[in-house]
Every structure is written in structure tokens, then in C-alpha cells.
Amino acid sequence: MKLSLSGRILQGSPTPLSPADFIHLARDTGFDLVELRADQVPVDSSEAELAALHRVLDDAGIGVSMLVIGGVAEVDSWIRVARALGVLNLRVNGTVDSIAAAADAMPADVRLVTQMHSGSSFENVAQSAANLTRIPSPRFGLMPEPANLLFAGERWSPELFAPLQERIYGCNAQSIALDPDSGNRVMMNDGRQIGYKRLDWRDNHDLDFPGFLAALRAVGYDDFINFIDPSDPGMSLQELAAGTAAYARECLAAV
């Protein structure tokens, strides 16, 4: 599997990075790909700006796992950007019906992806499989994310992702553990509020990241894992990114 570094790592960071510097950070810390966000690559970027960014990616030997664009209604305006950067995946949010309509209209060289997320139409595997039957187009797929699936009560097994096997188009990951005493809460579809905390990857035994990877490999998934942890005030961006990549590669080697 390939490792992707999300632009979310810049969230809360006192160290601003240009898109080029972010790409170089990913390269220098052991990632194969980057996920780019709308504040890094605006939808109204000129052709010259996009060509320059493409050259930075090529020179660094870094690909783009996806563009995070927001609502599904904005898809059409992002296809030009995706093509200019050679990006296959556009990450969107929306209702099942709106995603189905957009997927039906997608060209063959671009597709839509959505993270399996608490409080969404894709909160757990059973709900996701049911809603995928309403979105039959292969131009749309899902991205499991272990923390949100932990909130939903899923447990890793070789059979877990079988109902989604043909429609897993990417994966996100962040180091979160359950913590009922935490003030950080996420709302589930059934009204429950789940407490959680962020941990260093090596300290997070609850998440069982190697087990998550093994469950993905059991259904033949071998694409990218995109790491979406925000910045940590206790370490530099370089330290966070490098530590994440090193840990991920150790886990991949073990499964």
C-alpha cells in the first residue's frame, strides 16, 4: 500500500507551508502521495498555477491521492483541476441521492470518494453496503477510516469489509482512541455521543491499526492510506509526519 499525507496536518499549525513545501515535507518524511485541500489548490487556480504545481509533484516524485473539495454540487468545477494535476479521486460530501446523480455524470477519468464517517450515510459497514446499492455507478467508492469505524462499534476481521470489497477506493486514518471521560465528542446516527482522544500512533493500542490493515488486505485492498491527523502542538510537522510514516511502514511490513 502507498502512504498519503493529508493537508489536514497543517490545521492548527503555527508553521504555514506553501503547497510546494507541503509536497516536499511529504517526500522527505517517507510518503508516496499527498491529499490536497481546497485552501491549498483553489478551484479557480489558473492553468499556469496548476502546471507549476504539477511540475513540483513530478520533480518530487509525489502523486496526489485525492482532492478534498467539499459538497457534491461543486464537482463539475473541480474536474478541470483534477485533470490538470492527474488526480483520480475527488472527496465529496452529500446525500446518497445527490452522490448517485453526480456519480452517474462523472467522466471516466475522475471518480468520487467519501469517507465512512460517524453521523453520515456511511457510518458502518452494513449501512454503507445498503446505501451503495442506491449508488450503482463505479464512479463512486468509499474510504474506510478506523477511528470512525471504532466509534461505530466495528471490529477488525477478515470478513468485515467483504460487503464493500469492490467499492473501496481509498482509506483515511487518524490516531484516535475511545475515551468516555473526554470532552471531545462525536455524534452518531442513533444519537449517542462518543468520547474520544488523540494519541501518538505508537501509544494507540485501542485502534489496532495493524488489525485494520489486515482486514483491508483480506479483501484485496492494496491502494493508499491517507493520514489525516491534524498538527500536534507538542511536535513539529516534520516530526509528526516522519513518525506517522515510520509507524505505518512497520505495520504494513507486519501484516
Side-chain angles (χ1 to χ4, degrees):
M1 297 182 197
K2 293 184 177 181
L3 304 185
S4 171
L5 182 63
S6 168
R8 193 185 185 199
I9 196 174
L10 304 180
Q11 179 180 309
S13 172
T15 307
L17 292 184
S18 68
D21 287 341
F22 171 65
I23 291 163
H24 293 148
L25 171 71
R27 176 199 62 193
D28 295 344
T29 53
F31 289 85
D32 310 294
L33 309 164
V34 289
E35 168 233 85
L36 296 173
R37 302 195 159 207
D39 59 346
Q40 296 175 296
V41 188
V43 69
D44 59 357
S45 298
S46 69
E47 298 302 322
E49 289 169 331
L50 293 172
L53 185 57
H54 201 175
R55 286 194 295 274
V56 172
L57 290 162
D58 284 348
D59 290 346
I62 294 291
V64 181
S65 60
M66 74 186 93
L67 296 175
V68 180
I69 70 169
V72 71
E74 304 171 40
V75 166
D76 289 348
S77 59
W78 280 95
I79 291 176
R80 175 188 70 93
V81 179
R83 285 174 169 163
L85 297 178
V87 179
L88 174 62
N89 299 306
L90 297 178
R91 180 182 168 184
V92 297
N93 301 313
T95 65
V96 173
D97 289 342
S98 66
I99 291 173
D104 284 341
M106 290 297 290
D109 59 339
V110 187
R111 66 189 185 187
L112 305 178
V113 293
T114 290
Q115 179 182 307
M116 296 176 69
H117 200 287
S118 305
S120 77
S121 298
F122 306 99
E123 188 174 80
N124 56 42
V125 172
Q127 181 190 39
S128 296
N131 281 326
L132 278 176
T133 66
R134 298 168 55 194
I135 313 175
S137 172
R139 307 315 302 162
F140 172 76
L142 294 175
M143 296 190 299
E145 195 285 303
N148 278 277
L149 292 175
L150 188 70
F151 299 153
E154 301 286 20
R155 293 295 179 265
W156 318 139
S157 72
E159 300 80 26
L160 176 63
F161 294 118
L164 311 178
Q165 184 168 359
E166 302 301 322
R167 302 290 292 278
I168 299 176
Y169 290 175
C171 286
N172 280 351
Q174 57 189 323
S175 184
I176 284 178
L178 300 178
D179 182 358
D181 298 322
S182 172
N184 297 317
R185 300 268 156 179
V186 63
M187 180 71 76
M188 308 300 288
N189 283 329
D190 62 7
R192 288 179 299 129
Q193 295 187 32
I194 307 296
Y196 69 91
K197 61 185 175 183
R198 294 191 178 275
L199 292 173
D200 181 270
W201 276 102
R202 295 185 186 279
D203 296 332
N204 193 347
H205 307 296
D206 290 348
L207 192 67
D208 184 15
F209 188 59
F212 174 73
L213 295 176
L216 289 172
R217 281 197 160 155
V219 295
Y221 181 79
D222 194 32
D223 206 327
F224 66 85
I225 308 290
N226 180 52
F227 290 88
I228 60 172
D229 298 288
S231 65
D232 184 328
M235 63 180 70
S236 68
L237 296 178
Q238 182 92 9
E239 290 169 333
L240 175 58
T244 299
Y247 175 76
R249 293 203 182 278
E250 289 173 17
C251 292
L252 285 170
V255 297

